[in-house]
Amino acid sequence: MKTYIFITIIFALLAVHITANAQVTAAKEVTAKAEVLAPLKINSATVMDFGRLYSLADGYSVTLVPSGATDSRTSDKPADVPTVTDETIKLAVLEIEGAANNKYVIAPPATSVDLSGSNGSSMTLGDFKAYTTTGNPITAATTIDGTGKSSFKLGATLTLGKTQAAGTYEGTFEVKVTYE
Amino acid sequence: MKTIKFFAIAALFLGFSVNAMAQTNPPVSATASAGARIITPLSIVNTDEQSLEFGNIVASLAGGTVTVAPGATTATYSGVAAPAGLEGTIRSAKFTVTGDGSSTYSVLIAQETALTSGSHTMNLSDFTNNSNKVLEEGTETFEVGATLNVGAEQAAGTYLGSFKVTVAYE
């Protein structure tokens, strides 16, 4: 809304200015052009879910990565992390709304956040990375489609401590998007 | 003079407008959440070292089978029999699984294993178990039975063997 107000004022003053000018010199038509973009919005974000992980004597880290359109997780100690099947392993999916065919850049959290457990313990979540919904790393600006929509995935690395206390852990993080 | 004045005002406002434009492209942020569930690895123990036992069996010319069901203390005989009144100890093997809360898990038992007595062997096969495959408050106890395949004129002796039970979270 702020954008609209300011732009209206500019136009009004430009118009006045041209008229005044015409009183002393030859009139010249000036074209003023401005493009007003619909504000970028992040419409929804789904929960990033690491699923179930084993508490082990040694600490380890688990990274959520897309493999194609599906999501999976990798560990720095794969032999120690047996497969727990029927898991809900998901990268976060963020849905963007903005001006069709414009580009935006994604700023995942630059610092780590804590996931807090129902048991009072915590784990560190960091190294956030953005991916396309088809699983490719996003390294440049993303183009909003013709209907004004776009979405992307976010993965991250979770670090488990030694014999991490069993329980459910949750935390939040902030993602920013900006028109390029 | 009037013109100059208007110019000045216009320029001033244009200046503001540039600032305003710059402010209209701030980052838009959203909060997303992340979650994980840490669980204790599954473990399984042979409860009270209760092993699978078939008791005493009398060999026969044609051989046969002896089956012990999970939780049973008697056996089902086919082709062979127990000496009357001297069946011996018959029981299924007992296991306790411990792990996370009310997780579901799978049970995997070898298809077949051999019991040996010196150079003689008998095959143990068709393992069955009475596990619900769901932990209750982090634990479940179940029993495992099997069928013993007694050969024709099976040599007398005490036959021993072992089998492996594997559990995994589902």
Side-chain angles (χ1 to χ4, degrees):
Chain A
M1 284 311 287
K2 212 172 176 183
T3 314
Y4 277 111
I5 291 162
F6 272 102
I7 287 168
T8 309
I9 290 170
I10 299 156
F11 280 146
L13 287 177
L14 274 174
V16 171
H17 154 64
I18 290 161
T19 312
N21 213 8
Q23 286 173 348
V24 288
T25 61
K28 190 182 181 199
E29 197 169 297
V30 177
T31 306
K33 193 182 173 191
E35 193 185 350
V36 180
L37 297 184
L40 262 186
K41 281 191 288 187
I42 299 180
N43 276 346
S44 66
T46 60
V47 176
M48 180 187 288
D49 195 345
F50 282 83
R52 287 181 294 169
L53 295 162
Y54 289 121
S55 170
L56 300 176
D58 286 333
Y60 63 105
S61 66
V62 179
T63 303
L64 286 185
V65 288
S67 56
T70 57
D71 297 340
S72 62
R73 61 187 185 203
T74 59
S75 167
D76 63 343
K77 289 183 184 164
D80 291 348
V81 187
T83 309
V84 178
T85 55
D86 292 342
E87 276 308 278
T88 50
I89 298 163
K90 289 183 303 199
L91 278 77
V93 177
L94 287 97
E95 292 186 355
I96 305 296
E97 196 179 315
N101 307 315
N102 278 270
K103 289 185 172 183
Y104 67 96
V105 288
I106 302 161
T111 53
S112 298
V113 298
D114 276 352
L115 298 195
S116 304
S118 45
N119 46 34
S121 297
S122 70
M123 292 186 285
T124 306
L125 182 68
D127 201 13
F128 293 88
K129 285 191 173 70
Y131 300 91
T132 64
T133 49
T134 51
N136 298 313
I138 294 176
T139 52
T142 303
T143 305
I144 297 169
D145 74 12
T147 65
K149 303 248 195 274
S150 180
S151 56
F152 63 90
K153 288 183 175 184
L154 264 192
T157 298
L158 183 65
T159 305
L160 285 80
K162 293 182 177 180
T163 325
Q164 184 75 45
T168 301
Y169 290 74
E170 283 176 353
T172 59
F173 55 89
E174 196 178 67
V175 189
K176 289 179 179 170
V177 292
T178 317
Y179 276 125
E180 194 189 41
Chain B
M1 286 304 291
K2 212 173 179 182
T3 310
I4 290 164
K5 197 174 172 187
F6 269 109
F7 258 118
I9 291 170
L12 191 64
F13 276 88
L14 275 174
F16 276 125
S17 85
V18 172
N19 283 341
M21 288 292 275
Q23 283 169 5
T24 58
N25 191 18
V28 178
S29 65
T31 302
S33 54
R37 200 164 149 226
I38 304 300
I39 56 178
T40 45
L42 275 180
S43 68
I44 182 166
V45 292
N46 184 199
T47 316
D48 305 328
E49 296 182 351
Q50 182 178 320
S51 53
L52 177 57
E53 294 187 36
F54 290 86
N56 302 319
I57 302 158
V58 181
S60 67
L61 284 175
T65 60
V66 183
T67 301
V68 174
T73 51
T74 56
T76 308
Y77 301 90
S78 171
V80 288
L86 286 170
E87 291 86 356
T89 303
I90 297 168
R91 63 184 186 182
S92 55
K94 196 174 194 177
F95 297 90
T96 301
V97 179
T98 53
D100 182 61
S102 53
S103 296
T104 56
Y105 64 97
S106 60
V107 179
L108 181 72
I109 305 172
Q111 295 290 308
E112 202 170 84
T113 189
L115 304 193
T116 58
S117 174
S119 60
H120 305 291
T121 63
M122 282 193 287
N123 267 353
L124 192 57
S125 64
D126 300 306
F127 291 93
T128 52
N129 70 81
N130 60 2
S131 168
N132 291 319
K133 301 179 179 68
V134 180
L135 299 178
E136 271 181 48
E137 291 178 4
T139 184
E140 194 195 17
T141 297
F142 66 87
E143 301 201 22
V144 173
T147 296
L148 181 65
N149 301 279
V150 183
E153 296 180 68
Q154 184 73 45
T158 301
Y159 290 77
L160 290 171
S162 63
F163 61 94
K164 198 176 194 173
V165 179
T166 307
V167 291
Y169 281 120
E170 286 206 316

